[in-house]
Every structure is written in structure tokens, then in C-alpha cells.
């Protein structure tokens, strides 16, 4: 018996070098192995590539006059509906029924009356706002309704203030996409210095809200002796309405936002820009700038000094917070999860938006269009949770005002990075004179947040709030920049932002920098390893049996 045991033990020891050599590849690899081949990236096999520009309404780009309102041309891919602009200038009560019917404005969404100072424009302005949910769940199925994608395949839950509207929230019966006035950011509001302005919040939402007129000259109580500051202890409950009254003595760029559960509601999107314009004769203002961006009917004061004007609203979103409203239809559950379970001090900023979009969608309606030797007015608001550092390539702009207060001429700083704290506002003069200081010359110059997370979308770059300062002759007939075709194929697909595609998966360096494939199996080693394991088990079993065998009598 002892002799048999020693023989088997010798066999076991002899098999160990072979077993060691035949260990699985995942456990041990020899040096100098050939790298795996690059996985080919072929656009014809990649689903979900979008057209950079749908070109849905090319007629909206033209300069035109509607009901006496002069509307400037806009070469952008997705320009504003010119009928929305006409109604925003004249009011719903001063346009033809034909014009009003081309919009989604309710008949009492914007009433303009009474030229109190006799200078040729209305001075009593009545505005009605609602609260709308975008990308919210439908009670009729497992899908989202009033969809507003911020980037390819990305539809976070959002809340926005919107002008009081009529009709469906979606484009038409067969669509889930929100109609054009239901979008982020909340609309820019323009009023004139000295106007009597009544802003009524008709709360059509399922949670309480307010409107706080941050930086806007307003009394603490309205004419009825009720709250006029929009603070949390005076919420407008679901189904209720409340009117805030202002008659501003000071012009400047301000902000308005919800002051109920402020941190969560602002990050959900209930923040907008409000601009108080200087008083001028015949100053019919574009009261709503839907989606911010290009102001196609600027004020008299702006036209005196500038060739063009843009509103730029920077926002950020925590995808966990945004998901709360998509996972429940019960307001009690949403309130519980958002206000008690969700901890804002542990929040993240996953999505960074410029005028409601992240790159590449910022190229559709967030481009600043310039020609040489122009002064362009830029109004910036930081509605993010964090600070931003907005940087313009190829240009240096001049700060004219901070938080709606003009800087003295000697204190107007010219620079290329603009630090802007949360809720802060800046007015900039972008001068496109090719002198090596204000401008380096025509081009397709990027502008973006230089806090580098701002140029990402859930960690993927390029994304976030980056856009382009484009000289007009470098845009195609759909408002998209030249020399970007290869990038368009890469980023105008949800697969890129779902992290399914490599950053450099196509082009000349795809083989070197694309996705690495899997190693081909070494079938000889796999077979040898199996045989070695089988032999080892057999030897062990044989030893166990031999040791337990009774000696013969």
C-alpha cells in the first residue's frame, strides 16, 4: 500500500509543471503577446445617427415683418417661430387672430395696454406663466410625454415656467415631443424701466411654487397687501394663482426663480432671465424670448449701440434628481423622494446646458453669429449650482455690467474668461474688430465653460455647454458650421453619449485609438488545461480510494 501511495504521489508531483504551464490565460500571460485587433467602426452599422439639422422650418430664418413687427433674420438651424416673436412684441391683444393662431399662446398670456408716459409704447404689461413638466412620465404607458431632449438620447425630467398656452402640450396627436414654447430654459422676460408689470403665476403643476424676482426692483407687498417677494412661506399651491407686481426704476439684467424648496426647484429648471430695458420712445419690447438665444427684436437702446443681442442661460442637472419625477406619478411620492430622501448636499452635476441644450444640440440654436467689426451684446445668467468660467476662443469681450449694475467706464474689464457665480449676471460687449485684442479674425471659435466638467455630458466630452461663435460666411445654408462633418457623424448619436462608441472610432487613427477587440482563444492551451485538470482529479480520487481500501486478509 505504501508503495502505491508513493507512486501516485510521484505522478502528482510530475504533473504540476504541465499544470502550471496550462493555467488559464486570464491568470497568466507570457510577455510579448500580440495585441488584439481594433474593432472596426462603420457608420452604416451604427444605429441612431441623427441629421445635424432637421431643417423643419427654413422659412423661419428669414427677416420678415408680421403685424408691423420687424423681425431680424436668424441663420440658425432652429430659429424661433417669428409669430411667437410678433405676439411677444405686440401682446396677444394687439395682433391679428391669424397671427395668434400660428402660436400656442393663450389669449390672455400677454396683454399690453395704456401708454402712460405718452411715448408711443404700452406701459401696462400683464404676463401669465404656468409651470410645465418636460420629459415626464405618461399615466397611459411606459413612455415619456412632452419630450425635450437636451442631447442625443438624453431626456432628463425638467420643470420650466412657460407662457400660458392653449392646445396640446405636444406638437400634434401623433407626437410625444413638446410644442416649441414648452422648452428649457424658462423664457427670458423683457420689460421697460417704469412699466407697470403684473406677472401672474397660474400653478398648473402638482407641487407648490413661487416666482422670486431676484435683483428686480419690487415692493415687498403687492397692491392687495399680499406677498410680492415669492418666498417659501407664501407658496402658490396647485390649482391656485398669484400676481406679483413691479414698476422698476432700475434697468439691468436680472433673474427670476422659484423659492419653494429652492435648491431642488432651481436645478429642475425653474429659473429664467429677466431684463429691464432702458426707457425709450416707441420701445415695443420682445417680452418673451422663448429658449433664450438670439433676440430678433431688440430694444431701442440696444439698437443704438449694438448690431446684435444674445441671451445666454447656463444650467446644470443632477440626473438622480431629474429621474425622481420620471419614476412616479403620485405627487406624494415625488415630494417625499425629492424633499426628504434626496440630499442636495450629495448632489452631482451630470448635465451642463446652454439655453436648454448640451453639445451637439447647442449647435442647433446656441450659436452666436457674427460679422467683422460688430458690437454684439451678450447677457449671461448662471443658473447652475456651481460657478462657471465662460471662455471665448479668439476673442476678448468687455464687461459692461455686473448683476444689472453698470460698471463705470474705467472699470469695464476686457478679458477672455468670465467668472460668474451661481445666480450672477454679466452684460458683455463682444467687439469683433480684428485687431489682435478684441478679435483674432473670422473663424468658427468655440466658447465654453472653462471649469472643465462644464464641457462634458455625464462624463463624455465633447458635450456640456460648449458652442461656437461663428462668422456668418462659415455657416452652411442650414446654419451649421463648416468643417465639422466628421465630428457630426460621431456625436449626433445617442450611442456616443451612452458610451458605446470610442472617442476616436473613425478616421485616420481609428486603428490606433479605436476600441480594442478581444484576444483570440488559445484552443491548444484550453484543451491542455482541461486534460491536466482531469488528470489531477483522477489522481486525487485514486489516492482517496487507495487510502480507504481495506488490506486483504
Amino acid at each position: 500500500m505504501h508503495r502505491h501511495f508513493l507512486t501516485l504521489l510521484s505522478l502528482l508531483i510530475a504533473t504540476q509543471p504541465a499544470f502550471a504551464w496550462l493555467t488559464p490565460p486570464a491568470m497568466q500571460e507570457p510577455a510579448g503577446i500580440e495585441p488584439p485587433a481594433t474593432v472596426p467602426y462603420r457608420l452604416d452599422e451604427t444605429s441612431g445617427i441623427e441629421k445635424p439639422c432637421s431643417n423643419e422650418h427654413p422659412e423661419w430664418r428669414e427677416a420678415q415683418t408680421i403685424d408691423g413687427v420687424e423681425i431680424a433674420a436668424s441663420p440658425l438651424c432652429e430659429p424661433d417661430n417669428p409669430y411667437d416673436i410678433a405676439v411677444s412684441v405686440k401682446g396677444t391683444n394687439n395682433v391679428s387672430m391669424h397671427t395668434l393662431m400660428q402660436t400656442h399662446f393663450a389669449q390672455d398670456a400677454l396683454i399690453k395696454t395704456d401708454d402712460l408716459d405718452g411715448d408711443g409704447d404700452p406701459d401696462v404689461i400683464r404676463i401669465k406663466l404656468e409651470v410645465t413638466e418636460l420629459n415626464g412620465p405618461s399615466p397611459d404607458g411606459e413612455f415619456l410625454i412632452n419630450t425635450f431632449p437636451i442631447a442625443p438620447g438624453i431626456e432628463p425630467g425638467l420643470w420650466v415656467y412657460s407662457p400660458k398656452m392653449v392646445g396640446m402640450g405636444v406638437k400634434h396627436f401623433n407626437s410625444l415631443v413638446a410644442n416649441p414654447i414648452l422648452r428649457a430654459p424658462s423664457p427670458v422676460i423683457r420689460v421697460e424701466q417704469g412699466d407697470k408689470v403684473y406677472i401672474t403665476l397660474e400653478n398648473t403643476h402638482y407641487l407648490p411654487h413661487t416666482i422670486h424676482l431676484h435683483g428686480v426692483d419690487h415692493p415687498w407687498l403687492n397692491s392687495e397687501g399680499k406677498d410680492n417677494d415669492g418666498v417659501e412661506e407664501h407658496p402658490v399651491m396647485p390649482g391656485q394663482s398669484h400676481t406679483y407686481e413691479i414698476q422698476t426704476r432700475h434697468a439691468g439684467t436680472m433673474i427670476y426663480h422659484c423659492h419653494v424648496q429652492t435648491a431642488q426647484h432651481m436645478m429642475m429648471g425653474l429659473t429664467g432671465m429677466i431684463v429691464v430695458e432702458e426707457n425709450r420712445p416707441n420701445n415695443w419690447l420682445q417680452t418673451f424670448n422663448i429658449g433664450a438665444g438670439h433676440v430678433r427684436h431688440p430694444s431701442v437702446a440696444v439698437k443704438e449701440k449694438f448690431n446684435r443681442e444674445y441671451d445666454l442661460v447656463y444650467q446644470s442637472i443632477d440626473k438622480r434628481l431629474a429621474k425622481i419625477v420620471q419614476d412616479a406619478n403620485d405627487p406624494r411620492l415625488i415630494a417625499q423622494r425629492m424633499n426628504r430622501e434626496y440630499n442636495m448636499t450629495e448632489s452631482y452635476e451630470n448635465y451642463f446646458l446652454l439655453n436648454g441644450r448640451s453639445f451637439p444640440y447647442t449647435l442647433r440654436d446656441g450659436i452666436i453669429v457674427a460679422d467683422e467689426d460688430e458690437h454684439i451684446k451678450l447677457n449671461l445668467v448662471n443658473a447652475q449650482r456651481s460657478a462657471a468660467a465662460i471662455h471665448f476662443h479668439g476673442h476678448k469681450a468687455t464687461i459692461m455690467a455686473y448683476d444689472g449694475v453698470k460698471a463705470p467706464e474705467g472699470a469695464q474689464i476686457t478679458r477672455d474668461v468670465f467668472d460668474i457665480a451661481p445666480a450672477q449676471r454679466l452684460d458683455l460687449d463682444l467687439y469683433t474688430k480684428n485687431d489682435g485684442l478684441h478679435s483674432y479674425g473670422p473663424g468658427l471659435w468655440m466658447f465654453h465653460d472653462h471649469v472643465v466638467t462644464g464641457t462634458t455630458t455625464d462624463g463624455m466630452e465633447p458635450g456640456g455647454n460648449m458652442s461656437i461663435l461663428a462668422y456668418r460666411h462659415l455657416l452652411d445654408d442650414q446654419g451649421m458650421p463648416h468643417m465639422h462633418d466628421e465630428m457630426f457623424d460621431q456625436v449626433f448619436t445617442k450611442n456616443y453619449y451612452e458610451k458605446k462608441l470610442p472617442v476616436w472610432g473613425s478616421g485616420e487613427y481609428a486603428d490606433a485609438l479605436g476600441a480594442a477587440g478581444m484576444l483570440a482563444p488559445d484552443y491548444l492551451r484550453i484543451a491542455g488545461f482541461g486534460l491536466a485538470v482531469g488528470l489531477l482529479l483522477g489522481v486525487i480520487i485514486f489516492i482517496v480510494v487507495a487510502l480507504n481500501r481495506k488490506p486483504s486478509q
Side-chain angles (χ1 to χ4, degrees):
M1 175 63 195
H2 183 67
R3 188 178 68 240
H4 289 310
F5 176 76
L6 290 176
T7 303
L8 293 172
L9 184 60
S10 299
L11 285 172
L12 179 60
I13 293 171
T15 61
Q16 292 315 296
F19 178 72
W21 180 81
L22 292 168
T23 49
M27 296 171 61
Q28 177 179 321
E29 291 290 345
I33 190 169
E34 287 292 323
T38 301
V39 176
Y41 168 67
R42 294 192 299 182
L43 293 177
D44 59 336
E45 293 181 355
T46 305
S47 61
I49 295 179
E50 305 174 12
K51 292 175 61 177
C53 180
S54 65
N55 205 29
E56 188 175 356
H57 290 286
E59 71 281 4
W60 288 1
R61 300 189 184 109
E62 301 169 2
Q64 49 201 285
T65 301
I66 299 175
D67 280 5
V69 177
E70 294 183 0
I71 300 166
S74 176
L76 299 180
C77 166
E78 293 183 355
D80 290 335
N81 178 356
Y83 289 96
D84 287 346
I85 298 169
V87 172
S88 296
V89 173
K90 296 294 288 288
T92 55
N93 58 317
N94 296 314
V95 295
S96 66
M97 184 56 66
H98 169 76
T99 295
L100 186 59
M101 292 295 289
Q102 309 308 307
T103 75
H104 287 272
F105 287 109
Q107 285 188 299
D108 58 348
L110 177 61
I111 304 294
K112 297 188 175 187
T113 60
D114 302 310
D115 182 4
L116 299 177
D117 55 9
D119 67 350
D121 58 65
D123 298 312
V124 177
I125 314 298
R126 300 182 186 275
I127 298 168
K128 290 192 175 181
L129 298 177
E130 301 173 326
V131 174
T132 300
E133 184 167 282
L134 303 175
N135 303 318
S138 170
D140 298 323
E142 298 294 322
F143 57 87
L144 303 179
I145 195 74
N146 290 346
T147 59
F148 178 78
I150 63 169
I154 301 176
E155 297 176 342
L158 290 168
W159 297 338
V160 293
Y161 295 108
S162 58
K164 185 178 179 181
M165 59 160 284
V166 294
M168 297 185 298
V170 293
K171 285 186 173 183
H172 50 76
F173 281 109
N174 296 318
S175 174
L176 299 175
V177 179
N179 75 53
I181 69 170
L182 302 182
R183 59 158 296 167
S186 298
V188 177
I189 296 174
R190 273 182 169 74
V191 296
E192 189 181 44
Q193 189 178 12
D195 282 356
K196 287 187 174 181
V197 182
Y198 303 85
I199 302 177
T200 299
L201 173 59
E202 295 188 353
N203 190 3
T204 53
H205 199 235
Y206 49 78
L207 293 179
H209 301 289
T210 64
I211 295 176
H212 171 59
L213 298 163
H214 180 133
V216 181
D217 174 24
H218 64 278
W220 187 59
L221 299 176
N222 65 15
S223 59
E224 296 179 355
K226 297 180 179 179
D227 170 62
N228 203 44
D229 197 33
V231 289
E232 190 149 8
E233 54 264 37
H234 300 290
V236 183
M237 302 305 290
Q240 295 183 347
S241 64
H242 183 78
T243 299
Y244 303 91
E245 302 176 11
I246 58 176
Q247 189 169 11
T248 62
R249 294 161 290 184
H250 176 73
T253 301
M254 314 300 181
I255 188 172
Y256 68 99
H257 62 82
C258 180
H259 225 305
V260 175
Q261 297 292 308
T262 313
Q264 292 93 321
H265 289 205
M266 286 185 70
M267 187 172 265
M268 286 296 295
L270 292 179
T271 308
M273 180 189 296
I274 180 166
V275 180
V276 181
E277 299 282 3
E278 296 175 3
N279 194 307
R280 292 288 193 279
N282 297 307
N283 197 19
W284 289 77
L285 300 178
Q286 183 182 330
T287 301
F288 291 126
N289 186 16
I290 306 296
H294 186 195
V295 183
R296 295 178 68 182
H297 186 88
S299 70
V300 172
V302 168
K303 287 190 287 188
E304 290 172 355
K305 301 176 183 178
F306 299 95
N307 301 89
R308 208 166 291 110
E309 182 180 21
Y310 289 85
D311 299 327
L312 306 178
V313 178
Y314 289 87
Q315 293 173 272
S316 62
I317 299 172
D318 181 346
K319 66 180 182 181
R320 293 181 305 149
L321 175 64
K323 193 72 166 60
I324 290 173
V325 302
Q326 296 178 333
D327 287 341
N329 271 314
D330 189 327
R332 297 169 298 180
L333 291 177
I334 292 173
Q336 173 185 324
R337 295 170 185 174
M338 183 173 289
N339 303 328
R340 290 186 283 153
E341 296 176 6
Y342 175 80
N343 187 343
M344 178 57 77
T345 64
E346 299 173 350
S347 65
Y348 293 90
E349 293 171 294
N350 304 103
Y351 306 129
F352 295 87
L353 282 59
L354 167 62
N355 293 347
R357 305 283 196 182
S358 295
F359 183 89
Y361 283 0
T362 52
L363 301 182
R364 292 177 171 175
D365 60 6
I367 288 177
I368 297 173
V369 181
D371 292 308
E372 291 194 73
D373 298 315
E374 287 189 329
H375 285 276
I376 300 173
K377 185 171 189 281
L378 304 178
N379 311 306
L380 279 67
V381 161
N382 182 7
Q384 296 180 178
R385 189 201 65 183
S386 59
I390 307 306
H391 169 53
F392 292 87
H393 291 206
H395 296 76
K396 290 179 170 62
T398 301
I399 302 173
M400 300 183 296
Y402 298 87
D403 293 342
V405 180
K406 287 185 178 180
E409 189 168 338
Q412 294 186 2
I413 301 171
T414 299
R415 58 195 305 179
D416 59 29
V417 177
F418 300 92
D419 298 320
I420 180 166
Q424 191 175 23
R425 292 87 64 205
L426 292 177
D427 292 3
L428 305 181
D429 177 7
L430 180 69
Y431 184 28
T432 59
K433 180 178 177 61
N434 183 4
D435 60 3
L437 172 65
H438 299 92
S439 169
Y440 306 163
L444 296 169
W445 299 101
M446 185 188 299
F447 69 96
H448 59 89
D449 186 356
H450 225 295
V451 178
V452 291
T453 51
T455 60
T456 66
T457 296
D458 202 15
M460 286 298 290
E461 189 175 351
N465 54 38
M466 64 172 61
S467 189
I468 290 177
L469 166 59
Y471 282 71
R472 190 183 304 269
H473 67 280
L474 296 173
L475 296 175
D476 65 22
D477 59 359
Q478 295 184 7
M480 301 303 287
H482 292 302
M483 302 171 60
H484 283 66
D485 291 348
E486 187 171 335
M487 174 173 278
F488 290 166
D489 290 339
Q490 177 189 20
V491 298
F492 273 98
T493 169
K494 66 179 183 180
N495 294 328
Y496 184 78
Y497 294 100
E498 290 176 355
K499 306 178 183 181
K500 296 177 180 178
L501 301 177
V503 175
W504 296 285
S506 61
E508 183 179 355
Y509 293 94
D511 284 344
L513 299 173
M518 300 296 291
L519 286 169
D522 188 334
Y523 295 109
L524 180 61
R525 290 183 63 190
I526 291 172
F529 178 74
L531 290 172
V533 170
L535 177 61
L536 176 61
L537 291 174
V539 169
I540 292 172
I541 292 169
F542 190 85
I543 291 173
V544 170
V545 171
L547 291 175
N548 288 283
R549 189 174 175 185
K550 293 181 180 180
S552 56
Q553 298 297 325

